[in-house]
């Protein structure tokens, strides 16, 4: 039986939101789900690809590269974007990681960068962050929740 890593990612976000962190810290803490630490070694963790603590599938087709690492990819990209901003993170994912925006990984990177931007700007509250992930990224949301605005 495959693990629904997208649902597990959303559950992790829900648990983090309950802790009451400042938004930037919340995004960095999310990176820990990808094995990207908070301390000065975060850059080495991110550059090495982190650790796949949420192994499994469950992502919608447009962001599914058919590997068990999409939750790690999303959480790690969020943590990097929280530290260095969206434009530089997008450049790194496109040029260094070779994930152009037309690929599932490129689209997932864009979603992670947008997620970080929305949380940092206050447009997306931490309390609503898990729902955002479920609606936009999780395959199960397309079948079960009947949510509006999610992509199939």
């Amino acid at each position: 039986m495959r693990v629904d890593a997208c649902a597990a990612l959303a559950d992790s976000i829900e648990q983090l939101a309950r802790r009451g962190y400042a938004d930037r810290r919340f995004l960095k803490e999310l990176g820990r789900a990808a094995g990207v630490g908070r301390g000065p070694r975060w850059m080495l963790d991110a550059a090495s690809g982190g650790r796949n603590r949420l192994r499994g599938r469950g992502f919608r087709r447009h962001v599914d590269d058919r590997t068990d690492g999409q939750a790690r990819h999303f959480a790690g990209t969020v943590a990097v974007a929280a530290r260095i901003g969206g434009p530089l993170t997008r450049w790194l994912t496109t040029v260094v990681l070779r994930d152009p925006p037309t690929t599932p990984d490129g689209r997932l990177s864009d979603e992670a960068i947008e997620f970080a931007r929305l949380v940092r700007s206050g447009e997306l509250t931490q309390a609503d962050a898990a729902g955002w992930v479920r609606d936009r990224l999780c395959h199960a949301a397309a079948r079960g929740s009947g949510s509006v605005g999610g992509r199939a």
Side-chain angles (χ1 to χ4, degrees):
M1 180 174 140
R2 279 210 189 278
V3 172
D4 187 338
C6 193
L9 174 66
D11 291 346
S12 294
I13 291 169
E14 215 164 54
Q15 291 171 3
L16 278 175
R18 289 188 201 117
R19 295 184 184 167
Y21 293 129
D23 289 340
R24 190 163 189 259
R25 170 100 187 259
F26 168 77
L27 296 169
K28 288 179 182 181
E29 289 292 330
L30 179 54
R32 293 180 73 193
V36 176
R38 288 178 303 146
R41 294 180 41 101
W42 76 266
M43 199 177 310
L44 295 173
D45 292 341
S48 71
R51 287 178 303 285
N52 204 2
R53 294 180 174 163
L54 296 173
R55 183 177 300 273
R57 305 276 174 98
F59 286 80
R60 290 183 182 215
R61 186 175 298 142
H62 75 286
V63 293
D64 184 1
D65 72 352
R66 298 183 178 167
T67 68
D68 288 343
Q70 294 305 83
R72 174 192 49 82
H73 180 115
F74 180 84
T77 304
V78 165
V80 171
R83 289 174 170 91
I84 66 172
L88 184 53
T89 302
R90 172 33 69 210
W91 181 84
L92 287 170
T93 61
T94 302
V95 175
V96 177
L97 299 179
R98 296 187 181 118
D99 290 335
T102 58
T103 65
D105 280 341
R107 287 188 291 271
L108 187 61
S109 293
D110 285 342
E111 294 283 9
I113 292 165
E114 178 68 357
F115 177 88
R117 184 193 72 74
L118 290 169
V119 170
R120 296 268 325 256
S121 71
E123 293 174 62
L124 178 63
T125 67
Q126 291 179 36
D128 293 333
W132 187 96
V133 167
R134 285 185 184 104
D135 289 345
R136 291 181 66 116
L137 305 178
C138 294
H139 190 286
R143 289 191 311 260
S145 75
S147 64
V148 176
R151 289 189 240 164

